[in-house]
Amino acid sequence: MHLHYMTKQAQEFTRHMAGMICMFACMFATQAGDSIPIDIRLGSSQQAIRRFATEVYEHPAMRRTQYDHTLTRVALDGMYNRQNEAVQMQLGDGVRAGRVEADTYTQQTKSTLWGGASYENGRRMNTRFNETGDYERLAPYVMGDSVGGNLSTQTYRFHGGFARTVGPWIIGGEAAFRAVLEYRRVDPRPLNTVSDFNGKAGASVALPAHYRAGFSLNAGRYKQTNGLKFFSELGVPNVLHFTGLGTDYYRFRGSRHETYYNGYNIGAALNLLCEATAGWRATLRYDYTSDTKIMSSLNNLPLSHLGSHTFVSEVAYVCKEERFWGVTLRNEDLVKQGTENLFGDAANNIYPQIASTRKYTNLRMRHTIEGLYGRRRPTGSEWHIAPVAGYEMRDERYLSSARSLRLSHLFASVKGGWLHETGRWLVCLDGAAQFNLSAGSDMEMPDTVTTWDEPTHNLFKHAGGHYTVLRVQATVWYSMNTHNALSFSADYEACLYESGNRAQQVECSIAFSF
């Protein structure tokens, strides 16, 4: 009853907020976008060059000139994902979800506004060894069991930002909020609530030769309440607090099922953008995320801490003429470091902390070089091709018991697309094929395999070898009049693993743009 009440209230809140944002979007679009036909605005927003080397636009002040026109979109989306066998068992072997969303980008004389809201309701299928939300952020310090099951999820997102010209300067800011509710109505029964708030502010200044340099700061606050209950009279499975690669806090196995996470993040970025037809753009960004796992059933015992360092750099040269082209070099590095606290004997249910030790590390890197070449005709038609090559690696280690997992791949892909406008119709076709070649993947685990080692062995079996990713997407817009358009899009992706596993995903969307 309590869970039903929480869900109903959250849905009511989302409907009101989404309605307010859509109302403001309509007001902005009416003020700034009515004079420009919808087919011109849609064609401009779909140019391939606008989706190339976009890291610089994470700076809110740089978004002042990201698009030429005002555009608002309200959409209803559906997604179906299925794997023959779960690659990452903690995330399950499939997802079914539906989403309603509204987004707007509004150009005014001296300022730009953008914002949006979305509500997603879905189900993650057959999750095991994880009863905690936001696994990719908090792993390995999650609570889990070997039973698991389907997990119902609801996600609410709101964001908004602005950029305003003040002489040679542009100042900008952006805020985003995400709330998540996860639950299961059969044993084991997790109830996870997540709140995640992020804010960003920055400024850019005009330089000679149509260049603009910017600096931004961002900060955020994170909280998750993670609980687990059982109502079956037939017994309960063993519940563990995992610490990485099949290890766990053995001392706290069993009945301690109430935890929460306190987290925050801070970061900064430097950006360079050429606003002329051709020129350089560059980004250098650093983010730090801190998450502490606290066991509330033991007088708020701080069990572990996870610190994550993210480094991103991107350098690109872009030419936006009729024959457009570009080349970009992008590097992403993530370093996770996990520290576990050690405690003495309890006195009055209070465990004194006697030491802490750093046992878990996870290094991820991805280095990519990408090219783009295409032609856009005055009629609005366009074609493009984009070759990509790179290297990615994941090196995960748990030090005290000599456990390690290394996944390393060289990859190459080619992407392409075609955009054509005829009368009231606008058609866009995109496709991609990527081959990932294993380049030194290996695993070190104990000879005696336990149930808790299963996720690591399973991940290495599928993701340690070669695999191929194929994708095709089609979108059709119909302009009902000069101001409004309807669209339908379908996106299919397949991942074929050397192990024989196959993952498939289908996404469909119906949208109204104005």
Side-chain angles (χ1 to χ4, degrees):
M1 182 68 181
H2 178 62
L3 176 60
H4 175 72
Y5 175 77
M6 288 176 58
T7 305
K8 185 176 180 180
Q9 292 297 311
Q11 290 174 339
E12 287 292 330
F13 177 72
T14 301
R15 280 196 290 267
H16 288 308
M17 290 299 293
M20 291 177 61
I21 291 181
C22 288
M23 180 184 68
F24 288 128
C26 293
M27 291 172 58
F28 293 143
T30 300
Q31 293 173 4
D34 281 1
S35 61
I36 302 172
I38 186 67
D39 57 340
I40 294 178
R41 289 184 278 143
L42 284 171
S44 175
S45 68
Q46 295 303 309
Q47 294 176 26
I49 197 70
R50 294 192 182 276
R51 303 192 298 270
F52 185 76
T54 58
E55 180 67 33
V56 68
Y57 294 116
E58 293 298 314
H59 188 305
M62 296 298 188
R63 293 204 67 185
R64 174 77 176 94
T65 57
Q66 183 177 7
Y67 298 102
D68 295 332
H69 311 296
T70 289
L71 188 63
T72 300
R73 178 177 178 269
V74 180
L76 181 64
D77 310 323
M79 181 183 71
Y80 175 82
N81 176 293
R82 187 66 176 175
Q83 303 170 22
N84 292 354
E85 184 179 355
V87 177
Q88 183 94 55
M89 302 180 74
Q90 296 91 336
L91 298 176
D93 61 10
V95 176
R96 299 172 185 173
R99 179 176 64 245
V100 57
E101 59 181 337
D103 289 283
T104 184
Y105 180 89
T106 304
Q107 281 277 15
Q108 297 180 342
T109 305
K110 287 191 175 182
S111 61
T112 300
L113 302 174
W114 61 89
S118 69
Y119 167 69
E120 181 178 298
N121 191 314
R123 177 170 293 186
R124 202 156 57 238
M125 313 302 292
N126 301 316
T127 60
R128 296 178 62 198
F129 304 99
N130 173 39
E131 303 290 2
T132 303
D134 286 343
Y135 176 81
E136 291 167 317
R137 171 171 178 153
L138 302 174
Y141 298 119
V142 299
M143 179 169 58
D145 54 76
S146 60
V147 177
N150 299 340
L151 191 66
S152 297
T153 67
Q154 297 183 45
T155 305
Y156 313 86
R157 288 185 173 91
F158 309 96
H159 74 276
F162 78 95
R164 183 171 180 82
T165 302
V166 183
W169 291 86
I170 296 179
I171 58 173
E174 187 173 25
F177 176 74
R178 177 177 64 99
V180 181
L181 175 66
E182 295 185 339
Y183 58 93
R184 188 184 297 121
R185 297 187 184 276
V186 296
D187 287 0
R189 305 176 188 233
L191 178 57
N192 305 326
T193 56
V194 175
S195 61
D196 186 10
F197 176 80
N198 286 278
K200 188 182 298 184
S204 66
V205 62
L207 300 177
H210 303 286
Y211 276 90
R212 182 168 290 276
F215 175 74
S216 65
L217 296 172
N218 66 276
R221 197 80 174 93
Y222 180 86
K223 177 71 177 288
Q224 178 178 170
T225 301
N226 176 208
L228 189 63
K229 294 186 180 298
F230 297 88
F231 292 100
S232 173
E233 298 178 356
L234 302 178
V236 300
N238 207 355
V239 177
L240 276 63
H241 296 276
F242 290 106
T243 53
L245 295 176
T247 62
D248 73 291
Y249 253 116
Y250 187 85
R251 184 177 185 179
F252 297 112
R253 282 188 181 184
S255 60
R256 306 300 183 179
H257 303 156
E258 303 297 326
T259 65
Y260 67 93
Y261 296 82
N262 271 338
Y264 69 88
N265 60 276
I266 55 174
L270 292 171
N271 303 90
L272 179 70
L273 174 66
C274 180
E275 297 180 309
T277 304
W280 294 92
R281 57 181 63 172
T283 294
L284 183 63
R285 175 167 62 87
Y286 168 76
D287 292 289
Y288 173 72
T289 301
S290 170
D291 293 296
T292 301
K293 180 178 181 179
I294 300 170
M295 191 169 290
S296 51
S297 57
L298 290 177
N299 291 316
N300 296 328
L301 191 74
L303 208 58
S304 58
H305 173 264
L306 184 66
S308 302
H309 305 265
T310 303
F311 306 87
V312 176
S313 64
E314 184 178 85
V315 178
Y317 188 88
V318 176
C319 179
K320 298 182 287 185
E321 297 177 347
E322 180 180 333
R323 292 184 182 273
F324 57 86
W325 61 276
V327 60
T328 181
L329 179 64
R330 180 179 174 86
N331 299 306
E332 301 174 64
D333 297 285
L334 170 65
V335 181
K336 279 189 171 186
Q337 298 174 323
T339 300
E340 300 163 22
N341 296 325
L342 305 178
F343 303 93
D345 296 331
N348 298 321
N349 205 33
I350 297 176
Y351 289 78
Q353 181 176 333
I354 57 176
S356 62
T357 177
R358 180 175 293 171
K359 292 186 176 182
Y360 176 81
T361 61
N362 190 345
L363 170 63
R364 298 189 185 188
M365 60 177 63
R366 182 181 176 90
H367 306 313
T368 307
I369 182 169
E370 180 176 357
L372 175 69
Y373 180 79
R375 183 177 182 181
R376 184 170 182 84
R377 300 182 182 278
T379 58
S381 298
E382 173 187 303
W383 64 267
H384 73 274
I385 187 169
V388 184
Y391 170 77
E392 62 181 357
M393 186 269 289
R394 167 178 173 174
D395 191 345
E396 190 173 2
R397 297 178 183 272
Y398 192 78
L399 303 181
S400 63
S401 56
R403 296 167 179 248
S404 66
L405 173 68
R406 178 185 173 91
L407 305 176
S408 177
H409 292 87
L410 293 168
F411 61 89
S413 70
V414 59
K415 298 183 288 185
W418 175 70
L419 180 71
H420 182 68
E421 183 178 350
T422 174
R424 293 189 173 190
W425 296 91
L426 181 66
V427 180
C428 182
L429 299 177
D430 287 288
Q434 176 172 311
F435 179 70
N436 298 265
L437 175 68
S438 181
S441 299
D442 60 71
M443 178 180 65
E444 182 181 357
M445 294 288 285
D447 295 332
T448 303
V449 180
T450 69
T451 300
W452 315 113
D453 297 329
E454 187 178 347
T456 304
H457 285 269
N458 194 74
L459 178 62
F460 182 75
K461 178 177 72 172
H462 298 305
H466 316 317
Y467 62 93
T468 301
V469 180
L470 305 172
R471 183 185 180 191
V472 61
Q473 181 182 30
T475 307
V476 178
W477 291 267
Y478 174 72
S479 301
M480 298 181 293
N481 50 50
T482 58
H483 307 309
N484 308 307
L486 285 174
S487 68
F488 174 79
S489 83
D491 189 346
Y492 173 77
E493 182 176 300
C495 188
L496 312 176
Y497 294 90
E498 184 185 17
S499 63
N501 194 14
R502 175 176 295 183
Q504 301 181 78
Q505 179 170 299
V506 178
E507 292 187 56
C508 295
S509 175
I510 299 175
F512 176 66
S513 301
F514 55 95

